Amino acid sequence: MMDGILLRLGLIPYQEAKEIQLKALDLVKNSKTEMVLITLQHPPVYTIGKAGGFENILVSLEELKKIAEVYEVERGGNITFHGPGQIVAYPIINLNKWSKNVHKFVYSLEECIIRLLKDYGIEGSRKEKYPGVWVKDEKICALGVALKRWVTWHGIAFNVSTDLSYFSKITPCGIKEYGVTSLKKLGVDVDLREVEERLIEKFEEIFDADLREMTKSEFLEWSGQN
């Protein structure tokens, strides 16, 4: 079993959360802890991964920036949207101590969501060419990760009650033939906190993790001392 830290940050701006991710990344790289799981929501923001994505913006960039922030980021994948009602999970894990296998890591993140969906009577699935989790032909969870010296960061974004109209401004993940969905769109009206709790449970189960929760202030104080 791997020991780690759990941070539940609530609604937090993208850049602030990224700075916390980087602190967690340093702690894990320096073996101060084996993993940190960060769960949160972002105010409206579009992120563009290493695979690009500006070509998948369907309005002018100026128009897009009027409704949300826009960032180019280090993760794999293309353009996607994050916003309230969507649970974002950033697992910072030393794969040297878990399993030095990126495919297994991605598969395991997808499995967390597939098992979570099963709790609500929904069948989630994978598509061979496209990372993430799908319900039939609509994506409910996007996935984009990055690695530094076999330590993971970035992660997954799971649509619970997300305003899906933001996705109409882009071709999400550059995938034209499929759409996006959410638990709410599928008829499941559930408290976001409950879904977050279930996601954390699935993560601990699948990654064989024992997570100790810290507040943001506790974590920042602790990270500053290490």
Side-chain angles (χ1 to χ4, degrees):
M1 180 170 285
M2 294 181 70
D3 293 324
I5 303 299
L6 170 65
L7 286 176
R8 289 195 269 207
L9 299 180
L11 185 66
I12 183 171
Y14 184 84
Q15 194 59 38
E16 183 181 352
K18 183 177 178 181
E19 290 168 6
I20 293 173
Q21 263 199 97
L22 289 170
K23 289 180 183 295
L25 191 67
D26 283 340
L27 290 168
V28 174
K29 282 197 304 185
N30 292 315
S31 299
K32 302 299 182 181
T33 184
E34 293 177 321
M35 65 170 64
V36 179
L37 176 64
I38 304 171
T39 61
L40 51 80
Q41 299 174 71
H42 288 306
V45 59
Y46 293 94
T47 62
I48 300 170
K50 284 187 174 181
F54 284 102
E55 72 281 5
N56 288 311
I57 298 173
L58 304 179
V59 296
S60 71
L61 186 58
E62 291 72 23
E63 183 179 341
L64 200 69
K65 288 181 176 179
K66 288 178 182 177
I67 62 170
E69 294 184 301
V70 180
Y71 288 103
E72 291 182 77
V73 298
E74 300 84 357
R75 61 163 173 79
N78 206 282
I79 189 169
T80 195
F81 169 77
H82 303 304
Q86 180 191 75
I87 298 175
V88 175
Y90 295 130
I92 295 90
I93 303 176
N94 188 341
L95 295 188
N96 290 294
K97 297 182 179 181
W98 182 70
S99 177
K100 204 171 180 180
N101 184 322
V102 177
H103 176 76
K104 180 181 177 182
F105 172 66
V106 169
Y107 185 94
S108 297
L109 288 180
E110 293 169 338
E111 189 65 19
C112 290
I113 300 302
I114 289 170
R115 292 189 192 181
L116 174 55
L117 288 171
K118 191 175 181 180
D119 286 353
Y120 295 105
I122 296 169
E123 184 180 353
S125 62
R126 298 175 176 86
K127 288 190 183 294
E128 187 177 347
K129 294 181 180 179
Y130 303 125
V133 178
W134 302 77
V135 178
K136 297 182 179 177
D137 283 336
E138 293 185 314
K139 183 181 277 191
I140 195 166
C141 180
L143 189 155
V145 298
L147 272 79
K148 283 191 175 182
R149 288 175 17 206
W150 288 98
V151 177
T152 68
W153 62 313
H154 293 281
I156 58 176
F158 178 53
N159 296 325
V160 179
S161 55
T162 321
D163 182 351
L164 299 179
S165 67
Y166 283 92
F167 288 98
S168 68
K169 308 294 184 184
I170 62 173
T171 302
C173 304
I175 303 171
K176 295 180 180 179
E177 60 266 48
Y178 302 123
V180 293
T181 192
S182 67
L183 280 180
K184 187 174 182 179
K185 183 179 176 181
L186 293 167
V188 178
D189 191 4
V190 64
D191 181 70
L192 196 82
R193 181 75 174 193
E194 177 193 313
V195 181
E196 183 184 36
E197 292 280 359
R198 288 178 183 263
L199 176 56
I200 292 164
E201 287 174 7
K202 304 304 181 192
F203 180 88
E204 287 187 306
E205 174 187 316
I206 289 166
F207 285 88
D208 193 26
D210 182 20
L211 300 177
R212 175 172 62 93
E213 186 167 0
M214 282 186 172
T215 65
K216 181 175 75 170
S217 58
E218 286 171 341
F219 177 79
L220 291 176
E221 181 180 357
W222 179 67
S223 64
Q225 294 171 350
N226 284 279

